[in-house]
């Protein structure tokens, strides 16, 4: 909690400042309390906790990781309604965590962080807030997540459009789609969920597809009351279920690192498209021309059948321009629309979404300058030259096969070890050694070679030039083992100037 009695240079001070109140920030806050550390604050630019599950409340929003894996192991939920939870239930779980651990007492909501600057002589971070105030902290944890800045494509003439426009992460629930001609741009994880939901309401729905997505069936089974009772009464039963889900997910790494194996799974996915889509030409357009897994694999039972509806048209021609009340594709065809929905995902490259966030470390080095050729860190947590600055789900620690909450928990545990080590060593700051970080990133890029992610397609996992800066390239249990115990030889320590 913020300690207003401890002041340095007349600025409020806290031991740990957490930036972001999504799952990462919540996990960090709970584990700090469990370790007996209560001198921390959560800084959140929005009005509530929840992160992506606060923002993404579009029709059909749901998680593509099983419910019992998409929850914190040290704060579990035993009464999930179904195998794959929908957004409202996940958001409700988050609100329960906030209440159970009294996290609002540690939070400053509606508080945007504009930049952070390391004060080398005092081994402190100065955090500059939108109200022009300054907070100082010994440790800073970036928990803002990699998927929170909407990707808005530039479309010629968009400023002329007189209809309704919104991004899926800022869905306008007050706008009635009934009887409207709607154009939806994008066929990623959000779009394939809301398209089947809004299609019955629209007079006409145009789905503008730049690149087809691999979509596989979704397990929609509900949990029976007996199962919920057993999960609640017997912890071993719930843990056993979670373990089974974990190893089932881990098995998906095999075809990822061996593209030849993935081609067999791809045949089944192709048959799934042909089975669900009646029109052969449409089915062909919906079939990707890249190896499955190169881009994110999506899950849905309703997406493909939506294209059997008479009021849904798949448009694969590029967009030329938008007029006052229509959208025109490069083939010259004009389609009248009342509403335009961006299902275009998020900016993922931290060099871009942090471009207006000024972060300076040792000797005044800027994080954006360090990352100008690509974001790199050590285990996605520490960056050389930036003492006591930690990140959750940093470079090369996002997943395409299992739950990111598993990675977050491993990272939170590792950060707690670093904080404890600084305290025990009677030092003031910890910094990863340059050569340690460089060797780690060389190894990561080497492991990514010959995986499906590097098989030729362009995906959000990559920066311009093709370097994969996002994904962890192998099993998550290997990451857990590597971060389970901190190696002090990987770091050096700093002390305040005397």
């Amino acid at each position: 909690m913020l300690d207003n009695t401890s002041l340095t240079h007349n600025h409020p001070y806290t031991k740990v400042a957490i930036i972001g109140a999504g799952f990462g920030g919540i996990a960090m806050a709970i584990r700090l309390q469990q370790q007996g550390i209560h001198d921390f604050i959560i800084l959140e630019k929005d009005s509530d906790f929840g992160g992506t599950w606060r923002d993404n409340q579009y029709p059909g929003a749901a998680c593509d990781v099983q419910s019992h894996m998409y929850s914190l192991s040290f704060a579990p939920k035993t009464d999930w309604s179904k195998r794959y939870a929908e957004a409202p239930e996940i958001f409700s779980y988050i609100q329960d965590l906030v209440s159970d651990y009294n996290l609002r007492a540690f939070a400053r909501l509606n508080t945007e962080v504009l930049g952070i600057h390391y004060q080398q002589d005092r081994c402190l971070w100065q955090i500059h807030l939108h109200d022009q105030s300054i907070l100082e902290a010994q440790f800073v944890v970036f928990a803002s997540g990699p998927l929170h800045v909407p990707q808005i494509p530039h479309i010629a003439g968009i400023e002329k459009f007189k209809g309704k426009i919104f991004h899926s992460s800022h869905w306008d629930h007050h706008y009635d789609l009934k009887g409207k001609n709607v154009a939806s741009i994008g066929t990623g994880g959000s779009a394939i969920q809301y398209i089947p939901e809004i299609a019955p309401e629209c007079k006409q729905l145009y789905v503008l597809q730049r690149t087809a997505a691999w979509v596989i069936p979704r397990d929609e089974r509900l949990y029976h009351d007996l199962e919920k009772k057993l999960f609640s009464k017997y912890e071993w039963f719930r843990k056993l279920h979670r373990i089974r889900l974990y190893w089932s997910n881990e098995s998906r790494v095999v075809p990822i690192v061996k593209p030849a194996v993935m081609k067999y799974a791809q045949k089944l996915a192709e048959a799934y498209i042909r089975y669900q889509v009646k029109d052969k030409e449409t089915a062909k357009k919906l079939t990707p021309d890249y190896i499955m897994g190169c881009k994110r694999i999506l899950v849905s039972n309703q997406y493909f059948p939506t294209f059997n509806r008479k009021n849904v048209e798949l448009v694969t021609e590029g967009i030329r321009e938008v007029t006052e009340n229509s959208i025109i594709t490069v083939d010259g065809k004009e389609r009248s629309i009342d509403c335009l929905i961006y299902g275009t995902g998020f900016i993922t490259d931290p060099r871009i979404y942090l471009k207006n966030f000024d972060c300076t470390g040792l000797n005044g080095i800027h994080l954006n300058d360090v990352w100008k050729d690509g974001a790199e860190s050590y285990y996605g947590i520490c960056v050389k030259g930036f003492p006591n600055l930690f990140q959750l789900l940093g470079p090369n620690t996002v997943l395409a096969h299992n739950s990111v909450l598993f990675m977050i928990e491993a990272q939170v545990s590792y950060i707690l070890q670093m904080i404890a080590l600084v305290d025990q060593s009677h030092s003031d700051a910890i910094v990863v050694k340059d050569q340690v970080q460089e060797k780690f990133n060389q190894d990561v890029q080497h492991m990514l070679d010959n995986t499906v992610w590097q098989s030729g397609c362009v995906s959000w996992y990559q920066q311009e030039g093709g370097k994969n800066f996002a994904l962890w390239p192998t099993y998550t249990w290997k990451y857990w083992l590597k971060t389970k115990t901190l190696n002090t030889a990987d770091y050096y320590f700093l002390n305040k100037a005397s």
Side-chain angles (χ1 to χ4, degrees):
M1 187 180 294
L2 182 63
D3 180 6
N4 286 306
T5 63
S6 178
L7 300 176
T8 56
H9 287 221
N10 297 319
H11 299 308
Y13 167 87
T14 187
K15 184 179 181 72
V16 184
I18 302 167
I19 302 175
F23 260 122
I26 289 170
M28 190 77 238
I30 293 173
R31 293 290 288 125
L32 281 169
Q33 290 186 76
Q34 292 176 342
Q35 293 297 307
I37 299 173
H38 300 277
D39 184 10
F40 68 89
I41 187 168
I42 305 167
L43 302 169
E44 169 55 49
K45 66 181 179 181
D46 215 295
S47 60
D48 201 356
F49 288 77
T52 188
W53 300 106
R54 175 199 60 229
D55 298 340
N56 290 274
Q57 293 285 337
Y58 54 80
C63 188
D64 57 6
V65 174
Q66 305 95 331
S67 307
H68 278 269
M69 274 305 302
Y70 202 77
S71 50
L72 299 174
S73 66
F74 48 82
K77 174 179 168 66
T78 60
D79 61 346
W80 289 107
S81 65
K82 57 196 302 187
R83 263 61 175 181
Y84 288 83
E86 296 178 1
E89 188 173 14
I90 297 173
F91 185 66
S92 177
Y93 167 60
I94 289 172
Q95 294 300 310
D96 288 342
L97 292 175
V98 172
S99 298
D100 292 346
Y101 292 91
N102 193 29
L103 297 186
R104 292 190 188 279
F106 296 86
R108 282 180 60 177
L109 303 176
N110 296 306
T111 302
E112 184 176 3
V113 178
L114 301 180
I116 62 173
H117 307 282
Y118 195 65
Q119 308 301 298
Q120 198 162 335
D121 58 335
R122 295 185 293 137
C123 291
L124 287 174
W125 284 98
Q126 281 197 343
I127 304 167
H128 292 250
L129 307 176
H130 75 295
D131 62 1
Q132 298 187 330
S133 66
I134 294 174
L135 170 68
E136 294 190 331
Q138 183 180 8
F139 303 95
V140 173
V141 180
F142 276 157
S144 54
L147 300 175
H148 65 99
V149 180
Q151 176 83 259
I152 306 295
H154 175 71
I155 303 173
I158 193 66
E159 69 282 352
K160 304 174 188 173
F161 185 59
K162 292 185 176 180
K164 185 70 178 178
I165 304 176
F166 53 84
H167 189 276
S168 61
S169 64
H170 296 105
W171 197 274
D172 189 341
H173 291 278
H174 298 293
Y175 183 77
D176 190 358
L177 294 172
K178 289 179 181 176
K180 303 291 197 312
N181 293 324
V182 179
S184 173
I185 301 176
T187 52
S190 301
I192 69 124
Q193 292 182 339
Y194 70 70
I195 284 171
E197 297 294 324
I198 69 172
E201 299 181 34
C202 301
K203 177 182 179 182
Q204 179 68 40
L205 175 60
Y206 303 110
V207 178
L208 289 101
Q209 171 187 280
R210 182 177 64 176
T211 307
W214 287 109
V215 183
I216 61 176
R218 181 186 192 88
D219 185 353
E220 294 286 3
R221 288 176 297 167
L222 301 175
Y223 282 112
H224 300 301
D225 289 340
L226 176 60
E227 290 175 295
K228 296 177 190 176
K229 289 179 181 177
L230 291 173
F231 290 142
S232 177
K233 187 174 182 179
Y234 301 108
E235 187 175 13
W236 65 266
F237 185 76
R238 178 188 59 79
K239 286 185 175 180
L240 184 64
H241 181 63
R242 182 181 169 98
I243 289 170
R244 184 184 67 79
L245 294 174
Y246 172 80
W247 287 110
S248 173
N249 292 346
E250 281 294 270
S251 68
R252 299 175 187 172
V253 171
V254 175
I256 287 172
V257 298
K258 297 179 187 261
V261 176
M262 180 64 84
K263 289 180 180 179
Y264 292 101
Q266 183 172 315
K267 293 295 182 185
L268 294 174
E270 290 171 353
Y272 180 63
I273 298 172
R274 292 193 298 269
Y275 172 74
Q276 289 210 308
V277 181
K278 294 177 181 178
D279 181 72
K280 290 184 178 180
E281 189 59 33
T282 302
K284 186 177 179 181
K285 290 180 179 179
L286 287 167
T287 303
D289 60 359
Y290 54 86
I291 296 176
M292 190 164 76
C294 188
K295 293 177 182 284
R296 181 182 172 190
I297 299 173
L298 309 177
V299 290
S300 174
N301 296 337
Q302 287 81 39
Y303 179 63
F304 289 137
T306 301
F307 294 96
N308 296 326
R309 299 181 59 91
K310 292 182 179 179
N311 70 325
V312 176
E313 179 186 355
L314 178 66
V315 181
T316 56
E317 292 79 16
I319 302 170
R320 190 177 79 190
E321 64 177 310
V322 171
T323 69
E324 291 184 355
N325 53 19
S326 69
I327 190 165
I328 304 173
T329 46
V330 292
D331 59 357
K333 187 170 182 179
E334 184 172 6
R335 296 171 175 86
S336 175
I337 59 171
D338 304 295
C339 176
L340 179 64
I341 302 174
Y342 292 120
T344 46
F346 302 88
I347 296 173
T348 55
D349 191 333
R351 298 172 305 167
I352 299 173
Y353 72 67
L354 289 177
K355 68 178 181 179
N356 297 320
F357 182 91
D358 194 20
C359 175
T360 57
L362 293 176
N363 303 314
I365 58 172
H366 291 262
L367 183 59
N368 274 326
D369 289 340
V370 173
W371 281 355
K372 65 182 178 181
D373 295 324
E376 291 185 349
S377 66
Y378 187 49
Y379 288 120
I381 301 171
C382 310
V383 181
K384 61 182 183 179
F386 293 82
N388 290 358
L389 177 63
F390 313 129
Q391 187 174 11
L392 300 175
L393 294 183
N396 289 113
T397 60
V398 176
L399 300 178
H401 73 282
N402 213 328
S403 174
V404 292
L405 297 195
F406 181 88
M407 300 293 277
I408 287 174
E409 289 193 28
Q411 291 165 352
V412 166
S413 177
Y414 194 82
I415 291 169
L416 290 172
Q417 291 180 63
M418 285 191 284
I419 292 174
L421 185 59
V422 170
D423 291 343
Q424 294 162 8
S425 63
H426 304 293
S427 59
D428 296 300
I430 187 170
V431 196
V432 65
K433 295 177 179 177
D434 291 14
Q435 65 271 24
V436 170
Q437 178 178 313
E438 289 162 6
K439 174 66 164 56
F440 169 77
N441 281 279
Q442 289 171 3
D443 291 344
V444 165
Q445 293 303 314
H446 178 69
M447 284 189 285
L448 282 163
D449 289 342
N450 301 316
T451 63
V452 293
W453 300 312
Q454 302 295 92
S455 59
C457 74
V458 176
S459 71
W460 70 261
Y461 305 142
Q462 301 164 323
Q463 65 188 44
E464 188 176 343
K467 180 180 177 181
N468 189 320
F469 67 91
L471 293 174
W472 177 245
T474 183
Y475 298 97
T476 62
W477 60 263
K478 288 188 176 182
Y479 184 89
W480 176 80
L481 277 179
K482 289 176 180 291
T483 56
K484 188 174 184 294
T485 303
L486 184 148
N487 182 5
T488 56
D490 293 341
Y491 298 89
Y492 65 93
F493 299 88
L494 299 174
N495 288 288
K496 297 174 186 174
S498 54

